[in-house]
Amino acid sequence: MPVFKTPFNGYSVKFSPFYENQVAVATAQNFGILGNGRVHVLQLGPTITERAAFDTADGVYDLCWSESHDSLIVAAVADGSLKIYDLSLPAAANPIRSLHEHARECHGVDFNTVRKDSFLSASWDDTVKLWTVDRPASVRTFKEHAYCVYAAAWNPRHADVFASASGDCTARIWDVREPGSTMILPAHEFEILACDWNKYDDCILATASVDKSIKVWDVRNYRVPVAVLNGHGYAVRKVKFSPHRGSMIASCSYDMSVCLWDYMVEDALVGRYDHHTEFAVGVDMSVLVEGLLASTGWDELVYVWQHGTDPRAP
Amino acid sequence: MENNGQASASGAPPKPWERAGASSSGPAPFRPPSAGNTSDVVEASGTAQPGEVVSTTNTNVNRNTVGRPVPARPWEQQQTYGSTYGGYGTGSGLNYNSGYGGGMYGSSYGGLGGGLGGGLGGGMYGSSMYRGGYGGLYGGGSGMYGGGMYGGGLGGPMGGYGMGMGGGPFGEQDPNNPYGPPSAPPSFWVSLMRVMHGVVNFFGRLAMLIDQNTQAFHMFMSALLQLFDRSGMLYGELARFVLRILGVRTKPKGVHPPGAEGLPGPHNMPGNQNYIEGPKAAPSGGWDSVWGDSK
């Protein structure tokens, strides 16, 4: 599979839930410290071509595709705003909406895959916000974390439940109908950078931390992790459960590698890809094509490849 | 560009796990999902707070049970006015925290740094702080710190200089308000980054040029020396020839002692010992048995 070079440092990559050949990439200039950002929408084929690109005044840290409409993308921007882009409109008409309620950088977004009408944003102002596509303001704010929230993830099988990962070393599980969090997992000794739910078991959650490990938790018994996956050499930046296989996990790390794990088996590390030459900070697995992976990193490259093949192979 | 996907009206195609049917290895500890759309569900539960803008200063919300000390945020640390400091890394037992920075541009300090080290523990956030670059103004300062991610990788494995990554650009304004939101990015920061980029690029090229030149010079010199060497041989050979014609008998030089025959040397073919530059006999034969010569 080919490679795509972005002008800025990559931060996040997501496959479209509608089309197997579309990928969106969030990028930020100067390693995201300051400068502009850009959202790329890429068309996969024999070569990767750019279908659309949207510039922002600040770096883009994360994005997600709408589950209800095939041309909508929500981007988390470093000025704390969320911007919604419509691919079917010309660049001049975008973003169609800019939601600015967070006081600090917005670091993660996730779209509800069950009800398909709402999304979450995680921000460095310690809060998670719930938004719906039809409203110009957030529906509610979840304030409990004592430090930056880096990621929020909807439960793929429960429309009202989500998890958040924070720098206060806890992951919390929330029900949008409850005033506070329903569960607090003191999951790691260091900051937690990402979390994701098992797609085939709605009680299994994975967290990735600065302590270089990924831990898999069962929320019914969260005193001890179900599995601890060691193997990354630096902090683990993103973790993602496979949409196709219940025990498969993809992760990317500051050790510049992308790893695949099967937490059920003894030797959990299934695959390791060292194709990035800088921090690998974005990874995703295609919902529509089994085994298709995408990754991006600070080396300004976006790779799309089939599991088991060399990402750098032409 | 043709997309072979489904129509958009009904939402994304069903996920593989939805097709797989019921889940779970047991009863989930969650309340059963409610019907209706999200905003209605939240409003029905009475927890909706539409459009709440998160305040920067009000952090007195319900922060129950963290259980661990939480590091101070970069923008809070800026309360320590005064001396310049750059890299900041909470002590990591591992590796090192490099941090340099400090006093660039008058009072503004941009600590680039922070522990790349380990990425663990330490230098959990290489924070670079930026202050509005005014003389003594305490502009809010916008800290950027990365989600536990640091160390910008400029440079090799040693980390070059870790840029406390992260974050972004600065929020808004009013550089005179000590409690206000971060000051705006003075545009010279952008230019500073560019300048630094240019400088790094320049030195990279310079280093490469120097390296290449050294190599070229070395090769040139060794070729020159070889040339001299060979021309010396040519001269000797010609001289011998001319002298021979003139009838002067010269003793052939460089006759090898029998024992030296097997020693490695340039053009030292066995049985062909007439080269002038052939290996000289060892003064005392001291080297003859170095290789355990079995001859």
Side-chain angles (χ1 to χ4, degrees):
Chain A
M1 263 294 198
V3 177
F4 185 80
K5 176 103 170 73
T6 55
F8 301 153
N9 304 104
Y11 257 83
S12 181
V13 59
K14 294 280 167 67
F15 280 101
S16 164
F18 290 89
Y19 306 113
E20 62 202 29
N21 54 359
Q22 278 189 21
V23 171
V25 185
T27 64
Q29 201 175 9
N30 298 320
F31 307 102
I33 295 171
L34 75 168
N36 303 331
R38 190 174 288 173
V39 173
H40 298 269
V41 180
L42 308 178
Q43 190 86 21
L44 306 179
T47 60
I48 301 184
T49 50
E50 184 175 86
R51 198 186 146 196
F54 306 108
D55 283 312
T56 57
D58 291 280
V60 186
Y61 288 163
D62 199 13
L63 50 73
C64 66
W65 290 84
S66 163
E67 298 283 340
S68 58
H69 199 280
D70 61 348
S71 64
L72 289 186
I73 292 175
V74 185
V77 186
D79 63 0
S81 66
L82 294 158
K83 296 194 191 297
I84 304 181
Y85 294 95
D86 191 339
L87 293 177
S88 57
L89 297 178
N94 274 306
I96 56 170
R97 193 163 283 177
S98 181
L99 309 163
H100 201 158
E101 285 183 23
H102 282 298
R104 295 209 173 266
E105 290 83 341
C106 215
H107 198 258
V109 280
D110 193 38
F111 215 95
N112 193 326
T113 57
V114 180
R115 220 177 257 137
K116 304 180 199 293
D117 66 343
S118 58
F119 57 95
L120 293 167
S121 65
S123 163
W124 292 1
D125 64 10
D126 306 358
T127 65
V128 176
K129 274 178 180 287
L130 171 67
W131 311 78
T132 53
V133 276
D134 53 338
R135 298 196 181 191
S138 65
V139 176
R140 70 170 288 200
T141 306
F142 304 89
K143 290 188 282 192
E144 231 178 75
H145 279 294
Y147 201 66
C148 310
V149 188
Y150 296 121
W154 286 104
N155 189 318
R157 290 176 169 271
H158 195 303
D160 297 316
V161 173
F162 70 92
S164 62
S166 163
D168 66 7
C169 312
T170 64
R172 290 175 198 236
I173 295 165
W174 310 76
D175 188 315
V176 295
R177 300 159 296 181
E178 305 284 345
S181 61
T182 55
M183 239 172 274
I184 301 171
L185 274 68
H188 293 264
E189 291 296 316
F190 293 99
E191 291 190 86
I192 304 174
L193 302 182
C195 61
D196 197 31
W197 293 91
N198 190 327
K199 308 293 186 283
Y200 291 86
D201 187 336
D202 58 358
C203 295
I204 302 287
L205 177 77
T207 56
S209 165
V210 172
D211 69 7
K212 308 191 265 190
S213 71
I214 298 164
K215 290 186 182 171
V216 183
W217 304 87
D218 188 324
V219 296
R220 290 160 298 193
N221 175 23
Y222 53 85
R223 307 234 175 277
V224 283
V226 176
V228 180
L229 309 176
N230 287 307
H232 277 298
Y234 280 119
V236 186
R237 175 59 185 267
K238 289 233 168 74
V239 65
K240 194 97 193 169
F241 266 103
S242 165
H244 299 277
R245 288 182 49 193
S247 59
M248 184 79 101
I249 296 175
S251 66
C252 63
S253 158
Y254 287 101
D255 67 4
M256 308 181 200
S257 70
V258 173
C259 286
L260 280 176
W261 312 82
D262 188 333
Y263 76 91
M264 295 282 203
V265 301
E266 183 83 11
D267 204 3
L269 185 59
V270 176
R272 187 184 188 93
Y273 298 98
D274 288 314
H275 50 289
H276 280 290
T277 56
E278 270 294 348
F279 298 159
V281 293
V283 68
D284 196 27
M285 301 170 100
S286 172
V287 173
L288 300 172
V289 183
E290 184 166 358
L292 192 63
L293 297 162
S295 72
T296 187
W298 287 11
D299 55 6
E300 304 172 350
L301 295 173
V302 181
Y303 290 92
V304 180
W305 76 101
Q306 191 69 31
H307 173 48
T309 64
D310 181 8
R312 276 177 289 211
Chain B
M1 100 191 81
E2 65 288 341
N3 291 315
N4 40 357
Q6 279 88 337
S8 63
S10 57
K15 308 286 185 224
W17 62 86
E18 290 167 352
R19 291 195 292 264
S23 77
S24 202
S25 43
F30 310 126
R31 280 167 55 198
S34 308
N37 62 37
T38 303
S39 28
D40 293 345
V41 167
V42 174
E43 271 159 14
S45 73
T47 54
Q49 310 142 290
E52 182 180 356
V53 174
V54 179
S55 146
T56 338
T57 50
N58 174 23
T59 50
N60 301 322
V61 291
N62 171 27
R63 298 262 151 77
N64 50 3
T65 61
V66 175
R68 291 188 192 83
V70 166
R73 289 144 213 274
W75 61 83
E76 285 168 355
Q77 287 153 15
Q78 300 225 347
Q79 299 307 327
T80 54
Y81 302 122
S83 61
T84 59
Y85 60 95
Y88 166 92
T90 47
S92 84
L94 317 169
N95 299 324
Y96 55 92
N97 291 314
S98 66
Y100 16 100
M104 334 157 111
Y105 284 97
S107 73
S108 65
Y109 47 91
L112 299 176
L116 204 210
L120 205 208
M124 305 232 342
Y125 33 89
S127 48
S128 337
M129 298 69 177
Y130 294 69
R131 259 272 179 121
Y134 296 67
L137 286 186
Y138 305 121
S142 100
M144 21 222 51
Y145 59 97
M149 30 195 110
Y150 9 141
L154 292 180
M158 288 304 288
Y161 43 90
M163 322 189 64
M165 95 80 184
F170 319 42
E172 302 95 273
Q173 300 344 296
D174 193 2
N176 296 318
N177 176 5
Y179 303 110
S183 53
S187 62
F188 68 71
W189 280 111
V190 178
S191 56
L192 176 71
M193 300 303 287
R194 295 225 174 98
V195 167
M196 277 164 58
H197 181 240
V199 167
V200 169
N201 247 349
F202 171 73
F203 279 107
R205 275 175 208 184
L206 201 68
M208 200 194 69
L209 279 176
I210 291 173
D211 180 56
Q212 299 277 309
N213 270 294
T214 312
Q215 276 185 30
F217 184 70
H218 174 80
M219 284 193 311
F220 170 70
M221 273 305 169
S222 47
L224 206 64
L225 287 173
Q226 219 165 14
L227 180 72
F228 289 161
D229 198 28
R230 292 295 145 127
S231 47
M233 272 168 58
L234 180 67
Y235 176 79
E237 210 59 36
L238 283 176
R240 221 149 61 87
F241 180 69
V242 170
L243 288 174
R244 190 76 182 271
I245 284 175
L246 292 178
V248 181
R249 231 188 131 71
T250 52
K251 272 189 193 164
K253 286 189 277 178
V255 177
H256 304 281
E261 205 174 296
L263 283 178
H267 311 291
N268 188 19
M269 305 293 282
N272 181 7
Q273 350 184 312
N274 287 333
Y275 288 103
I276 293 173
E277 88 284 16
K280 306 291 183 287
S284 62
W287 299 97
D288 286 356
S289 57
V290 162
W291 303 109
D293 193 357
S294 58
K295 276 191 182 177

